Amino acid sequence: MAGYNVGGKQYAIPTKMTFVDIVYYHKDMLAKAGYNEFPKTYSEFLDLVKKLKASGVTPMAIGNKNRWPMQSTFMSAVGDRVAGTDFLTKVKQGQAKFTDAEYVKALGIVDELTKADAFNSDMNTMDEVQVQDYFLQKKAAMTMTSSTIDTKFRVSNKESGDNIGIALFPSVEGGKGTPGKSAGVVQYGIGLSKELKGAKKEAALKFLKYFYAPELYQNLMSKGIVVPAKVDAPADTSKYLKEMIDLTKNGDALVFDSVMPATVKDVIENGLQAITMKQKTPEQVAQEMQAAMDKVKK
């Protein structure tokens, strides 16, 4: 409910929940690198990346042509693990800065993984749709994208769906975040005009009670969609959705572009491309982000 609650007033009720930071991986490719389960710490993850690269495999595919995936998907997760879930809120309130050591460290993870050749070399010319097929063709061992892709990757992909595992970015040693949180946002809420009165208002409220009945969420679950409601899972709920629900049950991390001003979002997106192209340092990008944030406050 909090996603549509502003100043203590509830403006809508969410229908759908999307998690933006799901790591999908080919189980057999990780097993060949010596990992029968997904790494639990960043140091183990970095070791996995190096072993995959040494064997001639692209460790993680990202389609960052449109710039938002690294910002929204990758940094929402990494920023949470390193700087903590409340860091972005503190930045907005002037109680923290992007130039603080913990956020520079978060940006530094992108830099470190870039130098370890963790990503596909064409990540900034491949878009978020192209990378899905790239991953399904096993040109990369892992990819990172939203929970909405789960149906394509695992439910519809009957031949190899069971070989695709899901995970969240691992804990980072010394990080302030809570391991196991997933960066998520609520979507699709119906709002009502405050001008409604009398019979029209009653009719609208009657519709909302019909629309938001448990059957709606159960029907969505039958289609493989994560819902923001506690309802009994219908009998035809796929095992993959049950796994997704279990994976994302430990609380929500903030999605960067859902809380930060557009100008700051643009700066980090350009900055992340620059880091992955080895044109800027994490410190430079952090300074540019804070400068953009300072302008917003003025």
Side-chain angles (χ1 to χ4, degrees):
M1 296 289 283
Y4 289 122
N5 191 296
V6 181
K9 295 182 179 181
Q10 194 71 36
Y11 287 88
I13 301 171
T15 305
K16 179 188 175 199
M17 187 79 188
T18 295
F19 295 95
V20 303
D21 60 344
I22 307 300
V23 179
Y24 291 88
Y25 62 94
H26 294 290
K27 296 176 183 178
D28 57 347
M29 295 178 78
L30 263 64
K32 287 181 181 178
Y35 282 82
N36 291 314
E37 61 178 26
F38 196 79
K40 289 183 170 54
T41 66
Y42 174 66
S43 60
E44 291 177 350
F45 179 79
L46 186 59
D47 176 68
L48 168 62
V49 163
K50 292 177 179 178
K51 287 178 178 176
L52 287 168
K53 188 63 183 179
S55 69
V57 172
T58 297
M60 176 172 279
I62 300 287
N64 197 49
K65 179 180 179 180
N66 293 320
R67 302 185 307 148
W68 64 262
M70 279 297 288
Q71 166 268 122
S72 187
T73 294
F74 199 85
M75 279 306 297
S76 292
V78 174
D80 180 83
R81 296 293 184 271
V82 180
T85 303
D86 60 350
F87 183 80
L88 295 181
T89 302
K90 287 182 177 179
V91 170
K92 291 185 71 174
Q93 295 173 345
Q95 299 173 0
K97 293 179 179 293
F98 287 118
T99 50
D100 290 349
E102 56 261 47
Y103 205 79
V104 174
K105 180 181 177 180
L107 291 168
I109 286 179
V110 179
D111 187 51
E112 184 172 37
L113 291 175
T114 296
K115 291 174 179 175
D117 291 326
F119 308 115
N120 47 313
S121 59
D122 55 355
M123 66 179 293
N124 289 312
T125 57
M126 180 181 293
D127 67 31
E128 64 274 10
V129 177
Q130 291 172 314
V131 77
Q132 296 168 18
D133 292 328
Y134 186 93
F135 171 75
L136 288 175
Q137 293 165 12
K138 302 186 81 168
K139 294 180 180 178
M142 299 176 280
T143 191
M144 198 169 179
T145 185
S146 86
S147 57
T148 58
I149 310 301
D150 200 60
T151 298
K152 177 178 180 179
F153 277 0
R154 304 199 297 168
V155 179
S156 302
N157 188 15
K158 299 186 184 301
E159 292 183 3
S160 56
D162 284 350
N163 186 52
I164 297 176
I166 58 173
L168 298 176
F169 198 84
S171 63
V172 177
E173 293 85 345
K176 295 182 178 180
T178 303
K181 282 191 174 184
S182 183
V185 290
V186 294
Q187 295 178 297
Y188 310 130
I190 297 176
L192 299 183
S193 169
K194 65 179 181 181
E195 303 299 328
L196 288 177
K197 291 180 175 59
K200 287 186 177 181
K201 183 176 181 179
E202 290 303 316
L205 292 173
K206 183 177 181 181
F207 172 73
L208 287 188
K209 290 177 182 178
Y210 161 78
F211 186 82
Y212 288 112
E215 290 77 13
L216 165 78
Y217 297 102
Q218 290 173 324
N219 185 48
L220 290 173
M221 292 176 75
S222 294
K223 303 296 188 291
I225 295 172
V226 181
V227 300
K230 294 180 180 179
V231 294
D232 294 331
D236 60 350
T237 301
S238 77
K239 61 181 180 181
Y240 301 121
L241 180 59
K242 291 177 181 178
E243 186 182 0
M244 182 70 72
I245 291 171
D246 185 63
L247 179 71
T248 56
K249 70 182 180 182
N250 297 317
D252 303 338
L254 295 177
V255 179
F256 189 94
D257 53 356
S258 73
V259 296
M260 280 291 146
T263 51
V264 179
K265 177 188 77 72
D266 289 342
V267 171
I268 189 176
E269 288 178 350
N270 292 332
L272 288 170
Q273 279 200 336
I275 290 174
T276 57
M277 296 170 70
K278 301 178 182 179
Q279 295 175 346
K280 287 185 179 179
T281 66
E283 289 80 6
Q284 288 173 319
V285 174
Q287 290 171 1
E288 291 171 357
M289 290 174 66
Q290 188 57 44
M293 193 71 207
D294 290 341
K295 284 184 179 180
V296 171
K297 291 180 179 179
K298 290 180 182 179

